[in-house]
Amino acid sequence: MFLFVSVILLGFQVLKDYKLTNDIIMILFECFIFSALVILSRGITNNFFQWIIWFFEFWYSLVISIVVVRTKAYSGSILYYTLLFLLIFTTVTTIIGNQQYPYASRKLASGIVEDGAFLLSKNIGGYGFIYGLVLMVPCILRRSKDITNLFHKILCYAIVGLFLFCVFIAQYMLAILLIIAGIVFHLFSCIKRKSNKLMFATILMIIFLLFILFSEVIAQGLLNLSKKLSEYDSISDRIYSLYELFSGNGFSESSDANSRMDLYVRSIKTMFSYPLIGTFLFNNETLLGGHSDILDSIAGTGILGIIMILAIYRKWKGMIVKRSIVNRFYVVAVVFVILALTNTIFSSFQISFIMFLMPILSMRDTRTNEDCRN
């Protein structure tokens, strides 16, 4: 419903601005060509148009972000607060839903669960929603930097805590790690002086070395934690995989981490085997791992695809302009890239919506901010 309404609103706005219309047509054309190459590289022919629709939903948020900036309809608006309220509401129902129906969010991630419609009717968030929360955390933390009111700052941190608890209850181990990474990146971005940044980086390096030096102690702690969290099977299994890594035994054959690594390696090998044009002419999905949209896209489209995605990024960045806006995306973008390297994202409208739109909408003052160009 949101997509339908926003398409109409976008149409009215675009028709009023001839240059904006041309810019959007060009970037949509580039997105379409890139998407078509990616789809063909995965050997998808029967459901080609269904995949085109999914890709359109993904890139649509990017286009909307351009319109929002060019029309100065961003930040502090009622749209941001409405969307944030909906996210919080769905977070609460997702927490309750996973308590009542164990593994509900994990089941929705598979896309083949028989009672999927029932779980969705309970407003339980699945794959796209959970990883959308991951991207929302650095977005809210970035907004909290602009807030001077102590109560509002505490409220921002409380929302972050709620999102983190929801991700834990949903048993998405990678999502938990990405949220932690997002918080660390945010703290690093808050440091202004280079000397302090160097100190922060040094502390992280020392922590990393301590992890290596005390790997046996950490391994034992992870093993104990895995046993304590046995009621959360998915989290427990992934913590046990980390235990295997720190204990020096490597990942077991059946571990999720081991199977993921095999899929990543397959895509990387394909990248080096078909570096120029990728695999889209071969129409063979078995050449790709299927668990990393970045690795699969590069392996599937080769240098041609890399050039196209860089062209799309350059055009988008040039259209949203000005550092005060672009800076909003840095931490969210880093987490987004890590997510795209380790998982699939193109079939999730929620992930792209939060990635491209929420950092802009979270800017505080629409009336006085002139940091965009007509």
Side-chain angles (χ1 to χ4, degrees):
M1 186 63 179
F2 167 79
L3 194 61
F4 175 74
V5 173
S6 57
V7 164
I8 295 176
L9 295 175
L10 174 63
F12 280 120
Q13 184 58 54
V14 166
L15 289 174
K16 288 197 242 176
D17 190 331
Y18 177 76
K19 187 176 185 308
L20 181 60
T21 303
N22 284 343
D23 290 341
I24 287 178
I25 289 174
M26 283 302 300
I27 199 168
L28 276 177
F29 177 74
E30 293 172 0
C31 291
F32 173 79
I33 297 299
F34 173 76
S35 302
L37 292 177
V38 171
I39 293 170
L40 291 174
S41 72
R42 299 182 180 186
I44 299 168
T45 53
N46 295 333
N47 298 323
F48 181 83
F49 288 105
Q50 177 62 55
W51 275 85
I52 285 291
I53 292 173
W54 283 342
F55 270 86
F56 169 77
E57 290 178 349
F58 180 86
W59 294 117
Y60 177 71
S61 299
L62 179 144
V63 173
I64 286 291
S65 70
I66 295 170
V67 176
V68 167
V69 171
R70 294 283 285 272
T71 57
K72 302 182 182 179
Y74 56 93
S75 77
S77 67
I78 190 171
L79 178 60
Y80 171 76
Y81 295 111
T82 302
L83 292 171
L84 183 60
F85 170 78
L86 292 174
L87 281 173
I88 294 172
F89 178 77
T90 305
T91 299
V92 173
T93 57
T94 299
I95 292 172
I96 296 172
N98 276 276
Q99 294 285 359
Q100 294 178 339
Y101 311 100
Y103 316 113
S105 292
R106 298 284 313 173
K107 290 177 180 178
L108 288 171
S110 67
I112 57 174
V113 59
E114 294 181 0
D115 53 351
F118 171 76
L119 295 177
L120 289 174
S121 70
K122 298 294 183 180
N123 201 40
I124 299 174
Y127 177 90
F129 176 77
I130 295 300
Y131 281 107
L133 293 184
V134 170
L135 297 177
M136 197 62 199
V137 165
C139 181
I140 293 176
L141 290 175
R142 176 62 182 81
R143 178 179 171 81
S144 69
K145 284 180 62 177
D146 303 330
I147 296 175
T148 55
N149 185 288
L150 180 60
F151 175 75
H152 290 167
K153 273 186 177 291
I154 294 174
L155 189 60
C156 287
Y157 299 144
I159 293 172
V160 168
L162 180 67
F163 289 170
L164 181 57
F165 181 67
C166 178
V167 172
F168 178 80
I169 291 296
Q171 301 194 48
Y172 282 66
M173 185 63 185
L174 179 60
I176 294 173
L177 295 176
L178 284 176
I179 283 184
I180 295 173
I183 293 172
V184 172
F185 293 145
H186 168 75
L187 294 175
F188 186 78
S189 69
C190 290
I191 302 173
K192 295 181 179 180
R193 294 177 59 182
K194 289 186 178 179
S195 59
N196 291 340
K197 285 190 175 184
L198 181 61
M199 183 182 298
F200 188 80
T202 303
I203 291 173
L204 291 180
M205 184 62 68
I206 292 173
I207 293 173
F208 177 73
L209 291 174
L210 289 174
F211 267 87
I212 296 176
L213 291 173
F214 297 96
S215 58
E216 293 184 4
V217 177
I218 294 171
Q220 187 60 46
L222 289 171
L223 180 61
N224 294 335
L225 183 61
S226 175
K227 292 177 180 179
K228 288 181 180 180
L229 296 176
S230 57
E231 60 180 304
Y232 302 103
D233 290 350
S234 181
I235 295 290
S236 179
D237 290 344
R238 283 159 173 77
I239 292 176
Y240 188 80
S241 294
L242 291 176
Y243 154 73
E244 291 178 320
L245 178 63
F246 278 99
S247 63
N249 298 324
F251 296 120
S252 64
E253 289 295 325
S254 60
S255 75
D256 177 72
N258 186 70
S259 59
R260 278 176 182 256
M261 289 303 299
D262 289 341
L263 296 174
Y264 299 152
V265 170
R266 184 191 303 176
S267 295
I268 292 171
K269 287 181 177 178
T270 302
M271 285 168 54
F272 288 103
S273 299
Y274 306 92
L276 296 178
I277 59 173
T279 63
F280 72 92
L281 292 179
F282 302 96
N283 205 27
N284 189 349
E285 187 178 9
T286 60
L287 295 171
L288 305 175
H291 216 301
S292 166
D293 270 343
I294 286 183
L295 295 179
D296 288 349
S297 297
I298 295 175
T301 60
I303 293 177
L304 176 62
I306 295 175
I307 292 173
M308 292 200 66
I309 198 66
L310 289 176
I312 293 170
Y313 167 74
R314 187 170 180 272
K315 184 177 288 292
W316 172 70
K317 184 178 178 182
M319 292 173 75
I320 64 171
V321 298
K322 291 298 181 183
R323 178 170 295 186
S324 60
I325 296 177
V326 175
N327 283 349
R328 295 268 166 176
F329 286 93
Y330 284 147
V331 176
V332 180
V334 170
V335 178
F336 175 78
V337 169
I338 297 174
L339 173 59
L341 275 169
T342 54
N343 253 317
T344 56
I345 57 170
F346 287 138
S347 58
S348 174
F349 172 66
Q350 301 99 316
I351 291 175
S352 66
F353 183 87
I354 291 178
M355 165 61 204
F356 294 117
L357 264 175
M358 293 307 282
I360 296 174
L361 294 175
S362 66
M363 293 178 68
R364 297 194 63 209
D365 193 348
T366 57
R367 294 180 294 274
T368 61
N369 195 318
E370 297 297 332
D371 288 332
C372 61
R373 188 188 310 155
N374 288 319

